[in-house]
Amino acid sequence: MTTPNALEFDVDENVSLNLSYDPTWLAILRATDPLTSVNKSNIYMPSQHTRSERWDFRPTEEELTKVEEIYDGDFTIPRNFKMTAWPHRADGIDDSSQELYYRNPQSTEFCAKLGIKDLNEMLCSLSMNGLGIPYYINKNSDSESVLKSRTFERKEMVPSNFTIILSILFAIYKQIVEQFTNLLKVQVGALSRFVHCQTGSIEYAELRQCVDQLIRRVAGLDEVTQMDSKMNLIEETLNNVSEAYEKVSKVLIRTQREVQEKEVHMEHSSPDDIADEVQDLENELEEIQAAHAEEMESMQSKYEYQLKLLRERLEHEEHRRKKAQEELQTLNSLNDHSLSTMKKTHEEMLSGTKATIRGGNCCAA
């Protein structure tokens, strides 16, 4: 039996032996990221029969360029491996935690850099049951007694105290996130109703645009599945809501100050001052009415003059029409007379011709 020849490659001795990512594969991961989901419902892949959804995920030049920018042209896979599952024991004592699920730091770093969803983290966020502690965190406690006790606990299907605590903490954390989300919805809703009731101010118009953006952001929180990312968004949104409330407070204080100044001015005004202001307003109104009357009179004179010109032109056109009609009648009369004369002359010539012909026939006979 002959041993097959192995493939041989000429490799420079000084070259570094590193693995690298495929830019095309990275671009496809970014393009297909919206399809990543942990929902248990049926998900249908897009096809060429779908009109409003992309189904051909071959990367474009722009997508490849974006990947090139993200990695700065260096696609070398980093040597950041960390062991998560517990290693196999040759003596037959296996750590039962190998059946658990672990958070993967390499996947987290990779997805964060590429800007895509971390499926590993999404699965870990669904439930704390079956979620183990990575080996690289507590590898120092890798003793035979610990392994035996962990194996026994696993066989008895009794979760460790640490797992129970993690489950409780995760449930509390999830509840806190939901409460913060509901609180944001209430605050933004109240803020929206207030600013949309205010009219006639440019500042409130700007606030309405800001609040509308906050409403869209809060509505999008329900679609975020990763608790850490959701909490970061909630914190950022809370800061934005606080800033919006501060802006509203400043506008209200300024408006209240203006109203108070007007009230103080009215309180310190004497009846004579008020009478003078009323008289000034009446004088201004009379001036406006006088100017308006002069303007109306000027416009009336202008329109009357234009109307006079139109009437004169109408009379002139009517005179021309009558004259043209008379000339037409005269021409018709002349034409009738000419036709009668020509007809009479033609008949006389015809009679003379006939008489001449009869006289010639008699002479011939």
Side-chain angles (χ1 to χ4, degrees):
M1 181 177 180
T2 59
T3 303
N5 296 330
L7 295 177
E8 296 183 358
F9 299 93
D10 295 331
V11 180
D12 189 357
E13 295 180 356
N14 298 324
V15 72
S16 59
L17 301 179
N18 295 319
L19 297 176
S20 299
Y21 293 122
D22 181 11
T24 303
W25 174 69
L26 296 176
I28 293 174
L29 284 181
R30 284 176 53 84
T32 56
D33 185 56
L35 303 177
T36 304
S37 174
V38 292
N39 295 330
K40 295 183 179 181
S41 58
N42 294 331
I43 298 178
Y44 299 94
M45 297 295 293
S47 66
Q48 57 183 349
H49 302 292
T50 56
R51 298 181 179 178
S52 59
E53 195 172 7
R54 179 179 179 181
W55 62 274
D56 186 356
F57 293 99
R58 286 175 290 186
T60 62
E61 292 296 332
E62 291 78 6
E63 292 172 337
L64 292 174
T65 302
K66 182 61 177 179
V67 171
E68 184 81 17
E69 294 176 356
I70 293 175
Y71 283 86
D72 198 17
D74 183 12
F75 296 100
T76 303
I77 298 177
R79 298 185 179 183
N80 58 351
F81 174 76
K82 292 183 180 180
M83 185 180 296
T84 54
W86 288 68
H88 173 71
R89 301 287 295 186
D91 53 7
I93 303 177
D94 290 339
D95 182 10
S96 60
S97 62
Q98 291 178 352
E99 302 175 9
L100 301 176
Y101 196 74
Y102 304 94
R103 285 186 170 88
N104 191 311
Q106 297 91 248
S107 298
T108 301
E109 182 178 347
F110 173 78
C111 294
K113 185 172 184 178
L114 195 58
I116 61 176
K117 300 175 184 175
D118 186 356
L119 182 60
N120 176 262
E121 178 63 28
M122 293 168 66
L123 293 173
C124 291
S125 300
L126 291 178
S127 175
M128 295 297 295
N129 296 328
L131 185 63
I133 304 174
Y135 172 75
Y136 70 89
I137 293 179
N138 56 357
K139 60 182 178 181
N140 295 329
S141 61
D142 185 11
S143 62
E144 184 173 339
S145 59
V146 173
L147 293 176
K148 287 182 179 180
S149 63
R150 291 173 62 89
T151 304
F152 176 77
E153 290 174 357
R154 189 65 176 184
K155 289 181 179 179
E156 294 296 325
M157 298 300 293
V158 179
S160 63
N161 293 334
F162 187 78
T163 304
I164 295 175
I165 294 174
L166 283 179
S167 301
I168 296 174
L169 290 177
F170 180 79
I172 296 174
Y173 181 66
K174 187 175 181 180
Q175 186 177 5
I176 292 174
V177 171
E178 292 178 354
Q179 290 178 353
F180 270 117
T181 303
N182 294 331
L183 177 63
L184 275 176
K185 291 179 180 179
V186 173
Q187 289 184 344
V188 175
L191 189 60
S192 175
R193 287 191 294 271
F194 176 78
V195 297
H196 281 83
C197 291
Q198 308 298 323
T199 58
S201 176
I202 299 178
E203 295 176 339
Y204 279 114
E206 296 176 353
L207 282 173
R208 282 192 289 271
Q209 295 179 358
C210 177
V211 173
D212 291 341
Q213 293 178 358
L214 289 176
I215 290 177
R216 289 191 291 269
R217 182 178 298 178
V218 172
L221 289 175
D222 295 332
E223 301 177 0
V224 181
T225 57
Q226 298 183 11
M227 291 294 106
D228 293 339
S229 301
K230 191 171 185 177
M231 195 62 188
N232 292 333
L233 289 175
I234 289 175
E235 183 179 359
E236 182 180 355
T237 308
L238 277 173
N239 293 332
N240 294 333
V241 171
S242 299
E243 293 175 358
Y245 270 104
E246 289 179 0
K247 292 179 181 179
V248 171
S249 177
K250 291 179 180 179
V251 174
L252 286 175
I253 292 174
R254 185 162 48 253
T255 304
Q256 185 178 6
R257 187 182 299 114
E258 293 176 355
V259 172
Q260 290 176 353
E261 290 177 354
K262 290 181 179 179
E263 291 178 353
V264 171
H265 178 70
M266 292 296 295
E267 290 176 357
H268 290 81
S269 298
S270 62
D272 295 336
D273 295 335
I274 296 176
D276 293 339
E277 291 182 2
V278 172
Q279 185 63 38
D280 292 338
L281 291 174
E282 291 179 352
N283 295 335
E284 185 177 356
L285 180 60
E286 290 178 357
E287 292 178 358
I288 294 174
Q289 291 177 348
H292 183 66
E294 292 177 358
E295 184 178 358
M296 290 295 295
E297 185 177 355
S298 175
M299 292 177 64
Q300 183 178 0
S301 301
K302 181 179 178 181
Y303 290 147
E304 288 178 353
Y305 176 72
Q306 291 180 352
L307 182 60
K308 180 181 179 182
L309 293 178
L310 289 175
R311 287 176 178 174
E312 291 178 354
R313 184 175 178 181
L314 180 61
E315 292 177 357
H316 178 69
E317 293 295 333
E318 182 68 18
H319 177 71
R320 289 183 58 188
R321 186 186 66 80
K322 291 181 178 180
K323 184 177 180 180
Q325 188 175 6
E326 292 175 356
E327 291 178 353
L328 180 61
Q329 291 178 355
T330 302
L331 289 175
N332 290 334
S333 300
L334 292 175
N335 288 335
D336 293 340
H337 179 70
S338 299
L339 288 174
S340 300
T341 304
M342 290 176 63
K343 182 178 180 182
K344 183 178 180 181
T345 303
H346 181 69
E347 289 177 352
E348 291 176 353
M349 291 177 62
L350 184 61
S351 299
T353 303
K354 289 181 178 180
T356 303
I357 293 173
R358 284 197 297 269
N361 290 333
C362 291
C363 292

